[in-house]
Amino acid sequence: MVRYLITGGAGFIGSHLAERLLHHRGQVHVIDDLSTGAIRNIEHLKSLKGFGYTIDDIRNAPVLAELVDGADVVVHLAAAVGVQLIVESPVRTIETNVAGTEAVLTAAAKKRKKVIIASTSEVYGKSAQVPFRETSDLVLGATTYGRWSYACSKAIDEFLALAYWREKKLPVVIVRLFNTVGPRQVGHYGMVVPRFVKQALAGGPITVYGDGKQTRCFCDVADVVEAVERLAGEDRAVGEIFNIGSGEEVSVEDLARRVAAKVDPRIPLKYVPYDEAYAVGFEDMRRRVPDVSKVRALIGWTPRTPLDQILDRVIEYHRAEG
Ligand code: UDP
C-alpha cells in the first residue's frame, strides 16, 4: 500500500486526488492551511479508512517533517492560485509558492521521499508558440505586472525541484497543469468556469473579460488526477516535466455562450475591459493549448472528458449547491 502526503489536499484538485487514491486503496494524509481550501472538500473522506488530515501551514517545519516521514510519496499542490488572487495579493503568492515548495523539498530530501510538484501552464506566460511543449521558451512580461509573479514563482519551484534531482538525486516529477475544472472549484479567485456557471444560474450577466477571443483548453479534474496518480507511480517520469491538459480549445466568449445555452439562452454576456477586471496594464495570453504528446507517449494518458460533459457536471454541482 502506497502512503501519500498531499499538500493542499483540501483544495479543489487535492481533494479529488485524495478521493481517487483512497479509492485505489492508498493511504492518504492531507496537510492544508485552509487559505483557499476548505474542510467541506474533504468532509466526505474523513470516515474513510486510510485517510487523515492536519490543518497547518507547510512552512511549519517540524509538523511537515513528521508527515513526510510517514509517507512514501509527497504530492505538492499547496500554492496560491487564481489570477485574481495573484493580482490582488502578490506578496502572499510569491511567499507561499516559493517558501512552501522549498519547505517541501527540504523535508523530502532529508528522507529521500519522492515528490510530485504541481506547476502550471501559466509558466509559458504570453508565448505565442502554441501548442506549448515542455521544452518551449517561457515568455513573461515585465515585473511591474503582478500577474507574472505567479509564473515566475512556479518557474522557481520547477528550477528548485530539478536542482534537487540533479544535485541530490531526490526523485521529483513536475506536472504543469493547464486549466483544470470540475465540481468543488470556486470562482472567488478568478477561475472562469465556476464564475460563468454561477453567474448564469443567478440570471446573468456573464462577464467576458477583454474581447473574449482569448482561448483556453479546459480539462476535467478527474482526468487530471488520473494523470497525476499514474505519473507518481512511474519510475521513468522522475526528473521530468509533463504538460497535463485538454486539447479542446475554446474561446472565452464561446464558453460563455455555451454556458448560457445550457442554463438559459436569454442570459446576456457583458464585456468587461481587462483594466477594469484586474488591474491597469493587465496582460492576458491569446491562446493557451498544451502539447500532451510526452505524457501520452510515456503512460498512454489522454484527456477523456469533452467540454460539454464537463460543463454539464459543473452546472449540476452548482445547482445542487444552491
Ligand atoms: N475570464 C473572463 N471572465 C471572468 C473570469 C475570467 O472572461 O469572469 C477570462 C480570463 O480573463 C481569461 C480566461 O477567462 O482570459 C481564463 O481565466 P482563468 O482565471 O479561469 O484562468 P487563466 O487561464 O487566466 O489562468
Side-chain angles (χ1 to χ4, degrees), residues 46-61:
K46 281 186 185 170
S47 59
L48 298 183
K49 206 171 145 263
F51 180 75
Y53 69 99
T54 302
I55 304 305
D56 210 333
D57 190 312
I58 48 174
R59 287 169 288 184
N60 186 341

Side-chain angles (χ1 to χ4, degrees), residues 103-309:
V104 167
L105 289 168
T106 306
K110 282 194 185 127
K111 302 289 167 142
R112 266 193 125 61
K113 298 290 172 74
K114 188 179 211 175
V115 188
I116 316 304
I117 298 278
S119 184
T120 165
S121 56
E122 183 80 11
V123 297
Y124 294 106
K126 52 185 177 176
S127 166
Q129 303 287 310
V130 288
F132 300 141
R133 306 199 57 169
E134 290 84 350
T135 48
S136 300
D137 285 341
L138 313 185
V139 184
L140 306 185
T143 52
T144 44
Y145 295 145
R147 178 193 187 135
W148 303 119
S149 65
Y150 178 44
C152 222
S153 67
K154 294 308 278 188
I156 280 286
D157 289 355
E158 292 195 16
F159 277 123
L160 193 61
L162 292 173
Y164 266 92
W165 163 239
R166 286 179 192 139
E167 273 180 58
K168 299 176 191 284
K169 287 287 157 268
L170 177 71
V172 301
V173 180
I174 295 167
V175 287
R176 285 186 183 156
L177 308 184
F178 282 63
N179 294 66
T180 303
V181 291
R184 301 206 280 270
Q185 184 178 41
V186 293
H188 322 319
Y189 310 109
M191 278 71 170
V192 68
V193 169
R195 284 176 61 84
F196 281 7
V197 168
K198 285 192 86 167
Q199 289 170 340
L201 291 176
I206 297 180
T207 55
V208 174
Y209 297 163
D211 63 4
K213 305 278 190 259
Q214 69 273 32
T215 71
R216 296 293 187 271
C217 300
F218 296 94
C219 195
D220 191 281
V221 66
D223 292 339
V224 170
V225 299
E226 180 203 336
V228 172
E229 180 192 23
R230 290 175 59 192
L231 284 171
E234 174 55 66
D235 288 342
R236 291 172 303 164
V238 168
E240 299 287 338
I241 302 174
F242 298 91
N243 286 339
I244 308 292
S246 152
E248 193 180 338
E249 190 177 4
V250 63
S251 72
V252 167
E253 181 180 57
D254 207 34
L255 177 74
R257 286 204 193 101
R258 283 165 76 168
V259 171
K262 284 177 184 293
V263 176
D264 177 354
R266 291 166 302 183
I267 288 169
L269 309 191
K270 180 181 172 205
Y271 288 80
V272 181
Y274 282 119
D275 287 6
E276 229 172 87
Y278 299 104
V280 174
F282 180 84
E283 294 180 307
D284 201 10
M285 54 286 304
R286 294 305 283 173
R287 292 179 70 196
R288 178 188 280 160
V289 183
D291 178 331
V292 291
S293 51
K294 186 172 172 182
V295 64
R296 191 190 310 124
L298 187 71
I299 58 168
W301 178 87
T302 46
R304 269 194 283 249
T305 320
L307 181 60
D308 251 327
Q309 205 174 315

